């Protein structure tokens, strides 16, 4: 199994929509999930542009509205924490992460508008992105268009505009923007390869859109660039072949065994570490596994254990870190908690120790114990085997 090099400061995006299924504080029980999501998106639509303003432009009216928007976010956070209080798996970590992000936003907007305000709100946006880019779901394009119309996106980096599009399920706008950025003459393919744009594109087209043909069409167009070096031509041609091969799997109902088979098919496709040759394998397998987990059908502990372990390894070896939520660490910890005696539990723990970071702290450190991910708790679960 090949694992990509992982930077010390890992960043990732994770589930946001799940936060709005229950009630707390000002969030009423009878409100639908969509209604609550719209309230939170509305809060983001107000706070994000405001985070770019000079502090001298803030007035009393702004502050009153800010308190309302922050209260909405706090209520959503309280709802998620209440919902996941007894959850043994992934949701407990999501709740803790979302609560930390909400706390960061509140602190940022209470401290004379430091630069951190913008990044803290974008971390919340990234929670939306992860959920919306990993599984197919109905579009909210009209609502998203109205939301973004309230922002001056010229002040926002193009990469963050893409996140806003994905967060509001404007997938056509997101893919068009990515294509434009990648095809720009002044963005050399080598430079583009260092970014996450191509893998982001795969996640949207394969998971959110379930359209391998769309990904194949763009890759063929990209290969017409005269400046694409051989190693990238070789990789993207391999991706095209994989897209054609896995198209029936992407269209079919989620098949756990097939997802694991596709994942392991990418284990040895290249001798080089972290070159993403297996990206189509991994994104396809992750998409199938996510649909399998989200289907709500009966799943054995062994299946859950292997599914979360596999998703954790995919996050480590293929997906670009994106936000302040440590995806790989959370997924592997969930795999351990699901079955401490399981086949992959010790390997999952070793990967967390070797590659895991939370808030810049290496998780193998002697005193590493976090509010988000408690290493002492994991060690106790595995104590008979460590």
């Amino acid at each position: 199994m090949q694992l990509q090099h992982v930077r010390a400061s890992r960043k990732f995006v994770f589930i946001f929509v799940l936060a709005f299924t229950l009630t707390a504080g000002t969030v009423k029980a009878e409100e639908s999930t969509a209604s609550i999501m719209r309230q939170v998106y509305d809060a983001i639509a107000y706070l994000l542009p405001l985070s770019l303003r000079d502090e001298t432009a803030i007035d009393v009216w702004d502050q009153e509205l800010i308190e309302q928007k922050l209260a909405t976010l706090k209520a959503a956070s309280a709802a998620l924490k209440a919902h996941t209080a007894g959850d043994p798996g992934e949701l407990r970590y999501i709740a803790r992460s979302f609560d930390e992000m909400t706390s960061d936003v509140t602190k940022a907007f209470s401290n004379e508008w430091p630069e951190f305000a913008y990044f803290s709100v974008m971390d919340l946006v990234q929670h939306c992105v992860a959920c919306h880019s990993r599984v197919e779901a109905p579009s909210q394009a009209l609502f998203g268009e109205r939301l973004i119309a309230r922002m001056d996106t010229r002040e926002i980096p193009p990469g963050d505009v893409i996140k806003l599009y994905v967060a509001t399920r404007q997938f056509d706008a997101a893919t068009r923007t990515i294509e434009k950025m990648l095809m720009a003459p002044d963005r050399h393919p080598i430079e583009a390869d260092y970014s996450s744009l191509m893998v982001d594109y795969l996640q949207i087209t394969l998971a959110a859109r379930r359209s391998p043909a769309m990904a194949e069409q763009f890759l063929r167009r990209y290969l017409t660039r005269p400046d694409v070096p051989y190693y990238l031509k070789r990789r993207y041609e391999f991706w095209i072949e994989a897209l054609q091969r896995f198209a029936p799997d992407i269209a079919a109902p989620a098949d756990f065994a097939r997802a694991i088979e596709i994942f392991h098919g990418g284990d040895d496709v290249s001798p080089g570490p972290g070159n993403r040759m297996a990206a189509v394998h991994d994104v396809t397998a992750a998409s199938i596994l996510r649909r399998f987990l989200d289907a709500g059908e009966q799943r054995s502990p062994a299946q859950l254990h292997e599914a979360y372990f596999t998703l954790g390894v995919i996050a480590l070896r293929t997906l670009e870190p994106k936000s302040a939520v440590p995806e790989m660490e959370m997924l592997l910890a969930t795999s351990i908690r699901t079955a401490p005696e399981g086949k992959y539990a010790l390997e999952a723990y070793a990967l967390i120790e070797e590659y895991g970071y939370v808030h810049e702290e290496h998780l193998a450190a002697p005193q590493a114990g976090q509010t988000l991910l408690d290493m002492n708790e994991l060690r106790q679960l595995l104590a008979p085997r460590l």
Side-chain angles (χ1 to χ4, degrees):
M1 182 181 302
Q2 296 170 358
L3 303 175
Q4 74 178 72
H5 176 69
V6 181
R7 293 190 300 243
S9 179
R10 293 185 51 82
K11 294 201 168 201
F12 155 68
V13 281
F14 220 79
I15 306 174
F16 183 77
V17 66
L18 295 177
F20 314 124
T21 57
L22 295 182
T23 63
T26 60
V27 181
K28 299 179 181 179
E30 64 270 20
E31 291 179 310
S32 68
T33 299
S35 175
I36 298 171
M37 286 177 64
R38 280 171 170 77
Q39 291 182 37
V40 176
Y41 285 146
D42 181 75
I44 292 173
Y46 182 79
L47 294 173
L48 184 59
L50 201 61
S51 70
L52 297 171
R53 291 168 57 178
D54 185 88
E55 61 188 67
T56 59
I58 307 302
D59 55 30
V60 175
W61 177 244
D62 286 329
Q63 191 59 46
E64 292 177 355
L65 280 175
I66 289 166
E67 293 301 326
Q68 295 177 19
K69 307 307 181 185
L70 293 177
T72 298
L73 297 179
K74 291 177 183 177
S77 178
L80 183 57
K81 288 180 69 176
H83 177 46
T84 62
D87 188 273
E90 190 179 13
L91 290 180
R92 60 187 276 133
Y93 299 117
I94 295 166
R96 294 174 183 177
S97 175
F98 180 68
D99 189 57
E100 288 186 358
M101 294 298 99
T102 302
S103 177
D104 286 345
V105 172
T106 300
K107 291 176 183 177
F109 279 88
S110 301
N111 191 29
E112 298 183 355
W113 317 100
E115 183 179 318
F116 180 62
Y118 173 78
F119 296 106
S120 64
V121 177
M122 283 308 302
D123 279 341
L124 284 182
V125 173
Q126 284 283 32
H127 281 72
C128 309
V129 173
C131 180
H132 292 181
S133 63
R134 75 182 192 182
V135 291
E136 183 183 32
S139 175
Q140 300 183 47
L142 181 59
F143 171 72
E145 289 172 3
R146 291 173 178 171
L147 183 151
I148 293 187
R150 293 162 54 187
M151 305 181 188
D152 186 355
T153 55
R154 292 173 300 179
E155 299 183 26
I156 301 175
D160 286 348
V161 174
I162 293 170
K163 294 165 191 166
L164 289 169
Y165 284 144
V166 177
T168 54
R169 299 194 188 280
Q170 296 183 79
F171 298 127
D172 288 341
T175 52
R176 283 196 302 269
T177 304
I178 294 175
E179 289 175 1
K180 182 178 179 181
M181 292 177 67
L182 287 172
M183 292 298 296
D186 60 348
R187 183 184 290 268
H188 193 278
I190 294 177
E191 175 193 351
D193 185 40
Y194 294 143
S195 75
S196 66
L197 285 174
M198 197 65 85
V199 175
D200 290 344
Y201 191 83
L202 287 179
Q203 287 187 281
I204 295 171
T205 53
L206 299 188
R209 296 288 300 273
R210 293 176 72 179
S211 179
M214 182 178 182
E216 178 184 347
Q217 182 179 17
F218 174 67
L219 284 170
R220 291 189 184 281
R221 180 156 67 96
Y222 192 76
L223 286 172
T224 64
R225 289 186 59 137
D227 54 353
V228 179
Y230 171 72
Y231 82 94
L232 286 177
K233 287 182 180 178
R234 181 172 178 268
R235 182 194 304 172
Y236 296 150
E237 287 170 355
F238 182 81
W239 283 9
I240 289 171
E241 188 277 330
L243 287 166
Q244 294 171 341
R245 181 155 35 106
F246 301 146
D249 301 294
I250 294 170
D255 185 326
F256 173 79
R258 179 58 177 156
I260 298 300
E261 181 183 7
I262 292 172
F263 165 73
H264 286 300
D267 286 349
D268 300 312
V269 297
S270 173
N275 70 355
R276 291 175 173 169
M277 185 71 85
V280 172
H281 286 71
D282 281 356
V283 174
T284 299
S287 175
I288 297 172
L289 287 173
R290 281 299 182 187
R291 287 192 284 120
F292 170 78
L293 292 171
D294 292 346
E297 300 175 355
Q298 187 65 33
R299 300 171 298 268
S300 70
Q303 286 178 320
L304 293 173
H305 173 63
E306 186 170 6
Y308 283 118
F309 175 78
T310 302
L311 288 168
V313 173
I314 290 172
L316 176 62
R317 80 180 185 182
T318 292
L319 302 185
E320 178 73 11
K322 293 183 177 67
S323 163
V325 189
E327 175 185 28
M328 179 272 292
E329 294 86 343
M330 290 165 57
L331 289 166
L332 294 178
T334 300
S335 177
I336 293 170
R337 290 181 56 82
T338 301
E341 74 292 344
K343 176 180 179 181
Y344 303 99
L346 292 180
E347 187 170 2
Y349 182 80
L351 290 175
I352 294 174
E353 277 202 335
E354 183 173 1
Y355 297 99
Y357 283 84
V358 173
H359 304 317
E360 309 297 332
E361 182 179 26
H362 193 288
L363 292 180
Q367 303 302 320
Q370 301 286 338
T371 56
L372 179 59
L373 196 154
D374 191 337
M375 293 296 289
N376 290 329
E377 180 185 37
L378 295 181
R379 279 191 288 270
Q380 290 173 7
L381 289 173
L382 297 171
R385 303 177 63 189
L386 287 176

